[in-house]
């Protein structure tokens, strides 16, 4: 004779999932005793069935509930056991050379952050989908400004419930506005990040990287700009013979504006940065246009600033000698192995930012 209480006790005491399943089979399986009882219902008279039916069904339900409860207990205990035993010691040194490598763009971004941190600059960020106001208007490029046409802008399709025009930011300059709004003045930031323009050939890709620099303070002059850029380029290219030349230029967000050339020379048949056999353009820069300060909520009579911007991919190519920008974004493992950097070699000023 099978006894419900004994079955329930054995279920509650089942030491492991296999023992629990054996109890389930013995009671509720095809030849289980509850199943056998259920089969007897067919031969009963209706009156008898009315009494016995709910009784047997009730037993079945209590057993099923008990099995479920014990299963949950066993599962929880198993999880506890795993958590307690399957530990990974993350403080252990990496035994083998780590797989993968740091992309030159990430490497250069780290180098920039390191160099400018030493000069008191923080790193600022902004969204890649940017409003037309931040990307253009606040930077002294109103809707009718001809410079807007120079940017080959990707416009974002309007979305229901979202007011205004949005673009994929065409430069990192809008982060200037965001940084001034968020942090106020005085201010020293760089803003590295992705930018987008509808342009594609060996030296242009639709997505590329820029870094923006912005200093706002009292009594800031073009001399501060020149010293900062010279100091940066010397640290970045790790050479003291860096010569720079500022050429008058035009950007809507700076006045006056200057394009910055760096001197190059031939070494082993290769053109390298340093010396002054020739000049190549590396940066755009200038004194922040008073209207830009005002758009960001600062009083231009009180504050002055300088700003600069340049392409990170281009800096990487100049420093590390790649010549086709498109390969940066091909994801070719052979290229990444060749030009990538060790994840363990963090750029520092003392050990050299050149990795
Ligand atoms: N935003 C410019 C571009 O994408 C680069 C630039 C030029 C940034 C001059 C600046 C600047 O901050 O002062 O071509």
């Amino acid at each position: 004779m099978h006894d419900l209480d004994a079955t329930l006790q054995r279920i509650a005491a089942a030491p492991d999932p296999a023992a629990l399943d054996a109890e389930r089979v013995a009671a509720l399986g095809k030849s289980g005793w509850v199943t056998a009882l259920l089969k007897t219902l067919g031969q009963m008279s209706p009156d008898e069935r009315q009494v016995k039916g709910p009784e047997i069904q009730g037993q079945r339900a209590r057993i099923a509930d008990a099995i479920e409860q014990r299963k949950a207990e066993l599962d929880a205990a198993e999880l506890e056991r795993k958590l307690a035993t399957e530990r990974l010691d993350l403080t252990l040194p990496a035994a083998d050379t780590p797989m993968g490598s740091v992309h030159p763009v990430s490497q250069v971004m780290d180098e920039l952050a390191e160099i400018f941190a030493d000069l008191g600059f923080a790193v600022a960020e902004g969204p890649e989908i940017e409003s037309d106001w931040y990307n253009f208007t606040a930077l002294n490029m109103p809707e009718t400004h001809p410079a807007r046409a120079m940017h080959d802008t990707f416009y974002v399709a309007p979305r229901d419930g979202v007011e205004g025009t949005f673009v994929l930011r065409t430069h990192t300059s809008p982060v200037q506005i965001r940084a001034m709004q968020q942090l106020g003045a005085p201010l020293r930031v760089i803003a590295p990040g992705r930018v987008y323009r509808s342009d594609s050939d060996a030296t242009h890709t639709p997505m590329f990287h820029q870094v923006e620099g912005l200093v706002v303070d009292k009594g800031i002059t073009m001399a501060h700009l020149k010293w900062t850029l010279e100091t940066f380029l010397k640290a970045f290219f790790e050479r003291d013979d860096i010569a720079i030349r500022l050429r008058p230029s035009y950007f809507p967000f700076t006045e006056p504006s200057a394009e910055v050339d760096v001197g190059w020379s031939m070494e082993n048949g290769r053109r390298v940065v340093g010396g002054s056999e020739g000049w190549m353009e590396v940066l755009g820069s200038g004194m922040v246009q008073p209207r830009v300060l005002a758009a960001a909520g600062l009083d231009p009579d009180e504050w002055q600033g300088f700003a600069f911007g340049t392409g990170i991919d281009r800096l990487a190519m100049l420093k590390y000698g790649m010549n086709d920008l498109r390969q940066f974004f091909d994801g070719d493992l052979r290229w990444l192995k060749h030009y990538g950097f060790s994840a363990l070699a963090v750029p520092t000023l003392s050990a050299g930012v050149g990795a």
Side-chain angles (χ1 to χ4, degrees):
M1 209 9 230
H2 286 283
D3 167 345
L4 176 66
D5 288 338
T7 297
L8 291 176
Q9 266 170 28
R10 282 197 306 275
I11 288 172
D16 53 48
L20 182 62
D21 202 51
E23 291 302 331
R24 182 189 62 78
V25 171
L28 308 180
K30 226 191 255 175
S31 330
W33 64 269
V34 180
T35 311
L37 283 179
L38 283 167
K39 279 183 191 154
T40 63
L41 288 174
Q43 280 103 55
M44 288 179 196
S45 69
D47 285 349
E48 201 182 354
R49 197 182 301 141
Q50 214 161 35
V51 181
K52 283 282 182 190
E55 203 178 285
I56 300 171
Q57 289 293 2
Q59 289 186 339
R60 199 195 57 78
R62 284 184 62 189
I63 292 171
D65 286 351
I67 289 174
E68 203 167 307
Q69 189 191 332
R70 184 62 187 151
K71 184 169 181 322
E73 287 168 9
L74 289 174
D75 285 351
E78 174 64 7
L79 181 62
E80 279 302 319
R81 191 192 62 76
K82 278 192 178 163
L83 286 174
T85 55
E86 293 179 11
R87 273 200 210 152
L88 199 57
D89 185 351
L90 297 175
T91 65
L92 283 174
D96 306 312
T97 318
M99 301 280 283
S101 60
V102 175
H103 194 283
V105 169
S106 304
Q107 172 73 18
V108 168
M109 283 186 179
D110 289 349
E111 293 176 15
L112 294 168
E114 178 66 17
I115 293 168
F116 279 102
D118 202 49
L119 300 174
F121 287 66
V123 172
E125 285 180 322
E128 290 171 30
I129 298 176
E130 186 56 283
S131 76
D132 145 285
W133 188 83
Y134 279 103
N135 195 79
F136 294 123
T137 314
L139 291 163
N140 194 33
M141 284 187 265
E143 242 153 84
T144 52
H145 200 287
R148 282 200 180 200
M150 286 162 43
H151 276 205
D152 300 310
T153 311
F154 286 114
Y155 282 86
V156 176
R159 283 166 295 174
D160 278 347
V162 180
E163 289 255 339
T165 305
F166 286 81
V167 302
L168 296 186
R169 67 177 180 195
T170 57
H171 51 176
T172 43
S173 302
V175 187
Q176 288 189 29
I177 307 294
R178 292 185 176 273
M180 286 188 270
Q181 285 179 333
Q182 282 162 21
L183 304 167
L187 179 72
R188 276 183 237 178
V189 289
I190 58 165
R194 295 191 180 114
V195 301
Y196 301 84
R197 290 185 201 177
S198 180
D199 204 353
S200 187
D201 59 37
T203 52
H204 297 88
T205 48
M207 185 281 299
F208 58 107
H209 300 85
Q210 286 189 338
V211 61
E212 195 78 12
L214 173 68
V215 168
V216 179
D217 211 324
K218 292 183 176 166
I220 291 291
T221 72
M222 211 94 182
H224 297 117
L225 167 66
K226 181 161 187 264
W227 181 88
T228 304
L229 294 181
E230 212 165 59
T231 304
F232 152 59
L233 291 168
K234 280 182 182 165
F236 181 72
F237 288 106
E238 297 179 283
R239 293 177 67 129
D240 278 329
D241 63 344
I242 297 288
I244 67 169
R245 185 172 81 168
L246 269 62
R247 258 182 308 107
S249 183
Y250 174 77
F251 298 104
F253 27 88
T254 44
E255 181 60 39
S257 303
E259 266 164 344
V260 182
D261 296 342
V262 66
W264 56 261
S265 48
M266 292 303 277
E267 268 177 25
N268 306 320
R270 241 192 83 207
R271 200 184 265 203
V272 297
V273 173
S276 57
E277 283 177 42
W279 298 97
M280 67 177 126
E281 186 197 321
V282 285
L283 288 135
S285 68
M287 302 304 293
V288 181
Q289 214 324 329
R291 282 196 209 124
V292 172
L293 294 170
L298 297 179
D299 178 357
D301 291 330
E302 193 181 348
W303 302 101
Q304 299 77 49
F306 69 75
F308 56 89
T310 185
I312 291 180
D313 317 277
R314 174 106 191 296
L315 286 180
M317 289 166 89
L318 282 174
K319 181 165 175 180
Y320 295 114
M322 311 83 160
N323 49 26
D324 190 341
L325 177 65
R326 289 169 295 199
Q327 291 178 338
F328 273 57
F329 311 117
D330 277 348
D332 184 330
L333 275 178
R334 293 163 302 177
W335 189 93
L336 290 167
K337 273 208 180 100
H338 183 79
Y339 288 110
F341 294 83
S342 162
L344 300 179
V346 177
T348 61
L349 282 181
S350 52
V353 289

